[in-house]
Amino acid sequence: MKVCKFGGTSLATAKTLELVKDIILSDPERKFVVVSAPGKRFKDDEKVTDLLYRAFDEKVMTGTCKSTMKLIRKRYIEIRDDLKIDFDIEKYLDEVQEGINKSEDADFAASRGEYLSGLLIAAYLGYDFIDAAEIIKFKIDGSYDSEITEDLVAKALKNKEGVVIPGFYGRKPNGKIKTFTRGGSDFTGAIIAGAMKVSIYENWTDVNGVAITDPRIVKNPCFIDVISYEELRELSYMGASVLHPDSVFPVQSANIPINIKNTFEPENPGTLIKNKISREDMQEYPVTGIAGRKSNATINIKKAMMNNELGFARRVLSVLERCGISVEHIPTGIDTMSIVLSEKGFEIVPEKKVIEDIKIAVNPDCIDVAHNLALIAIVGHGMARRKGTAARVFTALAKADVNVRMIDQGSSEINIIVGVEDSDFETSIRAIYDEFFGD
Ligand code: ASP
């Protein structure tokens, strides 16, 4: 059994839906289909979910969502007509319009894109429709309730042959619809995959998988064939946007691989994400992916005999904890300690106050803050216990005339983090990519 989740671009028009149908029907294992709302049809088009949020805003301002709903109605009716199916989508559109006009928060409106999409696609495929509100549950505080949900999903989908489930939303105990954060249909797919213990979770999108690095920086980067959950987490944390961040856990803990595939090139194997990377999966390259983020700062602290002062690091870190600021890295020397943090930390508590508090806590000889640090993670299982990867990274950066301001390597040896000036960020990513993947 497989779960396949289709993203918005795969569901944007009748034409793309024809491709989706071919994909689903070409493999009898594809029994559970999770759908997003129709996405963009062209570059400046609007996603249905964005229109629905706008419909709610219109209702708040004018008392009715009528004029934005007109655009939404047009999209669904057009898809239905182009598919040439006999399905009364107007009835559901009327219900949705009425529901938004009565609703108190945006979640109900936002969720209707997936709801309508699910109904339409179930009719088109001849599959059953199961409303996510009946099986995906939230607690009253708005957090996702995994225990109840897993049970309900397993019961509802047992022995079912073909089911369409809308992604992105569920229901709270008070009956209200609640959505996940944006992109949350990935999470719904992962929940269904985990609860049904399927053999694979297929996540169908509009590219050939996870790119080795950001395509906005490196033109047409290659795609990753196989990546571990651990590597993916490192890359996502450093800014690579692949899947909704919550969607890894339900499948990783059930040891189910995710296959990211391209609806528009279904024969391409895409990227396989799994728990353990076997020797034969291990790529010929030591590096799997490269990601990074700009706008970090370092607090540099100097104090003679720091290494003899018991509890020094704890006192510094306690200050940051009290401020609610999280720490990225802590490179240390004998008498120096640096704290790397996102510049956003100083939006929580102003820089001046943080520095004053550290001064009070540890009485340093010298303390200053450096700004504009970009962090780049070079990630790969292949580099563990293999010589020369770090040398290649630093040679590539030196050749590109980039000064390295910070170096950190995790103990698992699957990543090397380098810190460079924000202004050197793109040059550095390109230099490292070319070193390992250039021709
Ligand atoms: N349609 C929602 C969004 O645009 C959820 C999703 O597609 O996953 O964020």
Side-chain angles (χ1 to χ4, degrees):
M1 280 187 303
K2 295 179 180 177
V3 165
C4 19
K5 179 258 165 180
F6 289 89
T9 25
S10 307
L11 311 171
T13 64
K15 265 211 155 47
T16 63
L17 278 168
E18 281 165 19
L19 302 175
V20 167
K21 186 174 187 173
D22 287 347
I23 290 168
I24 294 169
L25 299 186
S26 69
D27 183 347
E29 293 288 304
R30 293 185 176 128
K31 288 182 197 257
F32 309 125
V33 179
V34 174
V35 293
S36 281
K40 292 185 180 192
R41 293 160 295 182
F42 42 86
K43 196 169 159 269
D44 294 322
D45 196 15
E46 286 182 286
K47 286 177 162 197
V48 165
T49 308
D50 292 328
L51 288 173
L52 285 159
Y53 278 112
R54 206 201 304 158
F56 179 73
D57 290 344
E58 186 196 338
K59 176 246 139 163
V60 171
M61 280 184 315
T62 68
T64 166
C65 60
K66 216 160 103 200
S67 64
T68 315
M69 260 320 275
K70 249 192 202 149
L71 303 171
I72 296 165
R73 296 181 82 93
K74 192 163 172 274
R75 286 211 55 182
Y76 283 99
I77 290 170
E78 193 171 294
I79 297 176
R80 191 268 324 267
D81 290 349
D82 290 349
L83 287 175
K84 300 188 177 54
I85 52 170
D86 180 21
F87 181 68
D88 188 5
I89 191 79
E90 288 85 351
K91 178 180 102 187
Y92 295 102
L93 285 162
D94 290 345
E95 269 174 35
V96 166
Q97 184 161 338
E98 223 174 280
I100 297 176
N101 283 340
K102 281 197 216 133
S103 64
E104 287 152 16
D105 57 52
D107 282 29
F108 173 79
S111 71
R112 295 304 88 181
E114 274 68 13
Y115 173 73
L116 292 165
S117 190
L119 285 163
L120 191 61
I121 293 165
Y124 176 50
L125 295 172
Y127 275 22
D128 289 343
F129 170 81
I130 294 188
D131 188 355
E134 305 305 324
I135 54 174
I136 307 284
K137 297 292 171 181
F138 288 84
K139 296 181 186 159
I140 197 67
D141 65 4
S143 60
Y144 164 61
D145 192 335
S146 63
E147 247 169 74
I148 296 185
T149 299
E150 275 167 33
D151 217 40
L152 287 171
V153 170
K155 280 195 189 117
L157 300 187
K158 199 174 163 205
N159 301 327
K160 286 270 192 251
E161 277 310 311
V163 181
V164 177
I165 305 131
F168 190 40
Y169 72 94
R171 207 201 303 269
K172 293 213 292 192
N174 61 5
K176 289 220 159 129
I177 295 291
K178 164 110 186 85
T179 61
F180 296 119
T181 51
R182 294 298 303 264
S185 299
D186 284 343
F187 187 33
T188 309
I191 292 169
I192 308 282
M196 296 311 291
K197 312 258 176 308
V198 297
S199 58
I200 196 156
Y201 169 29
E202 290 181 340
N203 191 293
W204 292 84
T205 175
D206 54 0
V207 287
N208 284 335
V210 183
I212 287 170
T213 195
D214 189 339
R216 288 167 303 184
I217 301 175
V218 171
K219 216 166 148 220
N220 298 326
C222 303
F223 289 91
I224 298 170
D225 299 331
V226 185
I227 184 171
S228 68
Y229 280 111
E230 201 184 358
E231 290 170 311
L232 186 74
R233 170 143 174 74
E234 298 276 354
L235 290 173
S236 306
Y237 184 72
M238 288 303 277
S241 66
V242 180
L243 288 164
H244 186 278
D246 294 338
S247 50
V248 164
F249 184 71
V251 270
Q252 186 182 7
S253 57
N255 203 14
I256 297 165
I258 305 177
N259 194 184
I260 304 199
K261 303 247 313 164
N262 188 354
T263 301
F264 306 94
E265 224 183 294
E267 58 300 328
N268 190 298
T271 299
L272 191 65
I273 308 165
K274 51 194 221 172
N275 259 333
K276 278 260 165 304
I277 299 288
S278 63
R279 217 154 253 297
E280 76 239 32
D281 283 336
M282 201 89 83
Q283 0 239 337
E284 53 186 296
Y285 313 104
V287 172
T288 308
I290 306 156
R293 327 192 219 102
K294 287 183 174 180
S295 300
N296 300 281
T298 45
I299 303 173
N300 303 308
I301 308 165
K302 239 190 205 166
K303 187 171 187 185
M305 312 294 283
M306 178 193 286
N307 63 327
N308 289 339
E309 207 176 301
L310 222 55
F312 188 94
R314 181 185 53 76
R315 285 198 293 280
V316 172
L317 294 176
S318 301
V319 171
L320 292 157
E321 187 183 353
R322 274 200 303 278
C323 293
I325 296 176
S326 64
V327 169
E328 300 288 330
H329 300 279
I330 315 175
T332 53
I334 301 172
D335 289 333
T336 60
M337 175 178 181
S338 296
I339 309 281
V340 181
L341 50 112
S342 162
E343 293 278 8
K344 288 204 179 91
F346 294 136
E347 286 167 20
I348 304 171
V349 175
E351 178 181 326
K352 224 171 136 204
K353 165 91 173 106
V354 176
I355 301 307
E356 279 313 310
D357 285 1
I358 296 178
K359 279 185 182 163
I360 294 166
V362 293
N363 191 26
D365 296 337
C366 175
I367 180 164
D368 61 50
V369 180
H371 295 279
N372 307 322
L373 180 76
L375 295 174
I376 299 170
I378 301 104
V379 176
H381 269 295
M383 72 171 81
R385 279 164 284 283
R386 186 170 181 158
K387 291 169 207 149
T389 313
R392 287 177 70 184
V393 170
F394 296 115
T395 309
L397 291 174
K399 274 195 198 146
D401 202 23
V402 170
N403 174 43
V404 175
R405 280 175 48 188
M406 190 211 83
I407 306 168
D408 195 359
Q409 182 174 32
S411 53
S412 61
E413 271 190 67
I414 72 157
N415 65 354
I416 298 170
I417 313 266
V418 294
V420 300
E421 280 293 325
D422 274 347
S423 57
D424 284 332
F425 179 65
E426 285 84 4
T427 310
S428 305
I429 297 248
R430 279 186 213 114
I432 299 166
Y433 180 87
D434 283 347
E435 169 60 32
F436 291 96
F437 304 98
D439 32 40

